[in-house]
Amino acid sequence: CASILALCREGMEILAPEPPGGWLPLLYLHGKHLLYPDNFPEVLKASQMPAARFYLEVLRIFLEDEPVSRGFSPILHFHKVEKNELATTDNPIEHRTFLEVCRKTWLFEFMRIGAEVTPFQTLGHIAGVHYTAMHVARQLSALGIEIDLPLISAAAIGHDIGKFGCKEKENSRVPYLHYYYTDLFFKMYQMPVIGHIAANHSTWDLELENLSVESLVLIYADFRVKSTRENGKEQIVFYSLADSFDIILNKLDNVDEAKRERYRRVYDKLADFEEYMRSLGVCTDLDRTAEKRLPQTDTALLYGEQIVQAYKWEAIAHNI
């Protein structure tokens, strides 16, 4: 973003002088205002709007080309929903609304600016969750599981958008309040279906018998993509399900035995879901796919623990 700004600066100077604190921090605050106008006042003056619009338009062109010209990155870019995948949704109007809102609020450009002017890698986490969710969702769809790919794509992109809605005095409670602000965002733009999946991604609410496959996939992906800090910088890491259990447990507040046990039950349910996906032929390794349905053992030939596992998978399949 700073490099593109350097290219645009001469043209922007014709339209408006550069603000004292620089364009990028100001545009980041402008983006927060567009997403949550009730929480953040407009910081751009009317005289600055043409210069800001000029820069954002140029930035958008470069960012749309970047996955091709510089290579796709799972922590920067989003694989778009293909035309043939649009047929999997029962709610095309909401999906079109979501894409329009993303353009109108400059969401992708705003998140890239935020990654450069703040110490947080919210974009990296969101992109990583989207990459992980779509990796398994597309395989499930190819294996004949009825899953709404546009819905899971939009919900994954929007699942942590509420982090940008938290006010400065709420910074210490972002992990708790961002669910509320995510829900508020989707209600504001009248996208209740996407909002329901996006806002309810808390692992503490994981009740396998009450969740759609889209919710399960999003919670599963969110569980596997976490951040660490190295030399003061936030780094996005993709973990296996087993490794992520210990990582998240170490980040939780006020962990007592009851909370640890509750968290263990959450992990066990996600492990059951992952095993169910693998039993169908889904490859949960992020660097490869497998879209061939595996042969199933006849029920009459099952014994012992296989029977217990078969009951779990039958329950998951029934709920889906």
Side-chain angles (χ1 to χ4, degrees):
C1 297
S3 299
I4 303 304
L5 179 63
L7 292 175
C8 294
R9 185 169 274 114
E10 186 176 345
M12 294 171 72
E13 284 291 335
I14 298 172
L15 299 169
E18 183 160 354
W23 279 110
L24 291 185
L26 195 68
L27 288 171
Y28 179 71
L29 294 175
H30 174 63
K32 296 185 83 168
H33 164 74
L34 292 178
L35 293 174
Y36 293 95
D38 291 338
N39 283 10
F40 302 100
E42 178 59 272
V43 293
L44 282 179
K45 300 174 184 176
S47 61
Q48 295 172 320
M49 287 294 183
R53 179 66 182 261
F54 169 67
Y55 168 72
L56 290 171
E57 290 282 8
V58 174
L59 180 63
R60 174 171 286 171
I61 292 169
F62 275 89
L63 293 186
E64 287 178 348
D65 174 71
E66 188 181 43
V68 177
S69 62
R70 303 185 69 181
F72 180 86
S73 167
I75 60 171
L76 289 178
H77 306 130
F78 300 88
H79 281 306
K80 294 181 179 178
V81 175
E82 303 293 339
K83 286 185 178 180
N84 64 305
E85 294 174 335
L86 291 173
T88 65
T89 185
D90 294 325
N91 201 350
I93 294 176
E94 272 199 30
H95 185 68
R96 287 196 297 269
T97 299
F98 177 73
L99 295 179
E100 180 58 32
V101 169
C102 287
R103 292 191 70 83
K104 187 170 69 174
T105 60
W106 305 93
L107 178 62
F108 298 113
E109 294 77 20
F110 160 72
M111 289 196 293
R112 282 296 289 268
I113 292 171
E116 293 190 23
V117 302
T118 74
F120 306 109
Q121 287 297 323
T122 307
L123 167 63
H125 172 73
I126 289 174
V129 169
H130 182 270
Y131 180 78
T132 305
M134 294 304 290
H135 175 77
V136 298
R138 285 185 163 121
Q139 291 182 78
L140 286 168
S141 182
L143 292 166
I145 299 299
E146 190 173 332
I147 183 169
D148 191 325
L149 295 175
L151 173 57
I152 187 64
S153 175
I157 293 171
H159 83 282
D160 269 357
I161 201 169
K163 289 182 177 179
F164 300 117
C166 294
K167 304 169 197 173
E168 187 174 352
K169 65 181 180 181
E170 297 170 333
N171 283 346
S172 63
R173 294 188 56 77
V174 170
Y176 305 96
L177 294 177
H178 78 281
Y179 302 105
Y180 164 74
Y181 283 121
T182 294
D183 183 59
L184 187 66
F185 173 84
F186 284 101
K187 284 179 176 175
M188 183 166 53
Y189 288 105
Q190 299 180 338
M191 293 181 280
V193 178
I194 299 174
H196 177 72
I197 304 299
N200 292 286
H201 66 273
S202 169
T203 54
W204 299 113
D205 299 327
L206 183 58
E207 294 294 342
L208 204 58
E209 63 273 18
N210 294 329
L211 291 179
S212 68
V213 64
E214 291 84 9
S215 283
L216 286 170
V217 166
L218 178 56
I219 293 171
Y220 171 79
D222 189 46
F223 202 91
R224 288 188 56 182
V225 182
K226 298 299 171 190
S227 61
T228 62
R229 286 209 169 268
E230 295 180 13
N231 300 322
K233 293 190 68 175
E234 192 173 6
Q235 305 287 335
I236 304 301
V237 183
F238 295 85
Y239 292 101
S240 68
L241 190 68
D243 290 343
S244 65
F245 175 79
D246 293 326
I247 297 297
I248 300 175
L249 188 62
N250 291 333
K251 288 186 174 184
L252 294 177
D253 296 331
N254 306 317
V255 178
D256 55 18
E257 193 55 39
K259 193 168 187 177
R260 182 186 297 271
E261 182 56 30
R262 187 181 176 196
Y263 183 63
R264 164 62 68 178
R265 290 199 299 271
V266 168
Y267 169 77
D268 287 343
K269 289 181 179 181
L270 283 177
D272 285 341
F273 178 59
E274 183 178 70
E275 281 302 312
Y276 166 75
M277 291 193 291
R278 287 176 176 169
S279 76
L280 297 176
V282 172
C283 181
T284 55
D285 293 338
L286 299 179
D287 56 352
R288 56 194 178 92
T289 60
E291 296 178 350
K292 183 178 180 181
R293 188 178 274 270
L294 296 178
Q296 303 296 308
T297 305
D298 190 278
T299 305
L301 300 178
L302 300 177
Y303 62 93
E305 187 61 30
Q306 292 177 326
I307 297 174
V308 177
Q309 199 168 45
Y311 268 119
K312 290 180 183 178
W313 293 345
E314 184 67 23
I316 296 171
H318 176 269
N319 295 329
I320 288 173

